[in-house]
Amino acid sequence: MRISRLAPLAAGLAAAALALVPASATAGQRTAATATASSNSAVSSTSAAVDAYYTSAEGKTGAALKTALHNIIKTQSKVTYDGVWNALKVTDQDPANSNNVILVYSGRSQSKSTNGGGVNDWNREHVWAKSHGDFGTATGPGTDLHHLRPEDVTVNSTRGNKDFDMGGSPVAEAPGSFTDSDSFEPRDAVKGDVARMLLYMAVRYDGGDGFADLEVNDKVNNGTAPAIGRISVLKQWNLQDPPDAFEQRRNQVIYDTYQHNRNPFIDHPEWVNSIW
């Protein structure tokens, strides 16, 4: 029998709802019980839908799992590069301030309206650098929301097309991030996010659609090759920083509203080690 990894969420919602009920509030208890049942039903429905999405990948490992996931997630709608601006204002909305987005490396909450190319504006960061495979801003990998995030213009420039690795000097305007001549290390809170975005790209784009076969490797200085590294570090980051509520919500919004495909490594981070 397969147990969904989303099942604990239902228990958490139920516990949270019951914790709000005073011991003496009998009418409130009934209301809370109804709300809890409704929440549990919604979570169960979501869990079942996610499980169904990956049915053809069940029981597979290694190359077979990678192929199965590619065949699942390649069915998607596409967003134009101009359309990415408005999409990011939804996918990366600050949970505490609906007027703002969260910048991926900086961690800063910034007004949605300050998108652009000026100093201290935010722009569209390609986490899989668009030169790694020469796909530019073409509709497809160049506009895939699963690896596009808002970031400060200056920080985006500092990251450039560097591979990901540990170490370097602190990055101005991105506390907790570091860089050197050939690599970039994001802040701890998004290390796993970065890893899972890159691994999504390596599964989604395999040489079809007229684009290069994107692959992760254990090198830096990949340049314009359709490769990015380091996979050994990315695997560590996936374990160190598991998917949080922000990342999970983002995945769901992209699926529901924009591309109608999912990042499998957010739903199943354990599949990273099954493939790589």
Side-chain angles (χ1 to χ4, degrees), residues 1-222:
M1 179 180 68
R2 182 177 183 278
I3 300 175
S4 170
R5 64 180 297 275
L6 299 180
L9 182 56
L13 288 172
L18 291 174
L20 297 175
V21 181
S24 60
T26 55
Q29 285 173 331
R30 287 193 294 273
T31 301
T34 301
T36 300
S38 177
S39 295
N40 287 349
S41 176
V43 171
S44 296
S45 296
T46 300
S47 176
V50 172
D51 288 347
Y53 183 73
Y54 295 115
T55 297
S56 62
E58 285 304 318
K60 294 180 171 65
T61 59
L65 175 58
K66 186 181 179 186
T67 298
L69 292 176
H70 168 75
N71 289 333
I72 292 168
I73 67 177
K74 71 178 182 180
T75 301
Q76 66 174 104
S77 300
K78 295 180 174 66
V79 181
T80 67
Y81 197 49
D82 282 342
V84 167
W85 285 122
N86 287 330
L88 292 181
K89 294 176 183 180
V90 179
T91 60
D92 291 74
Q93 179 174 294
D94 182 349
N97 184 346
S98 62
N99 294 314
N100 287 10
V101 292
I102 300 292
L103 308 188
V104 59
Y105 305 136
S106 303
R108 187 168 76 236
S109 178
Q110 183 159 324
S111 172
K112 291 177 178 179
S113 66
T114 59
N115 62 294
V119 175
N120 293 324
D121 284 348
W122 64 266
N123 60 6
R124 297 158 290 188
E125 156 70 342
H126 291 78
V127 177
W128 186 294
K130 55 184 180 288
S131 63
H132 289 231
D134 289 324
F135 53 74
T137 59
T139 301
T143 66
D144 196 312
L145 294 171
H146 282 296
H147 85 116
L148 282 160
R149 301 290 292 266
E151 185 47 71
D152 175 87
V153 167
T154 304
V155 176
N156 194 343
S157 178
T158 297
R159 187 269 159 134
N161 70 345
K162 295 174 183 175
D163 294 87
F164 290 92
D165 200 358
M166 301 290 289
S169 303
V171 177
E173 297 191 73
S177 297
F178 300 87
T179 193
D180 57 24
S181 62
D182 57 20
S183 69
F184 189 90
E185 177 187 347
R187 60 194 176 100
D188 287 350
V190 295
K191 279 183 164 66
D193 305 50
V194 166
R196 288 180 285 273
M197 285 186 277
L198 297 176
L199 298 175
Y200 161 88
M201 292 291 283
V203 171
R204 170 60 186 87
Y205 299 98
D206 71 344
D209 304 318
F211 298 107
D213 180 5
L214 306 185
E215 296 291 345
V216 287
N217 61 20
D218 211 32
K219 303 189 322 185
V220 294
N221 279 326
N222 277 295

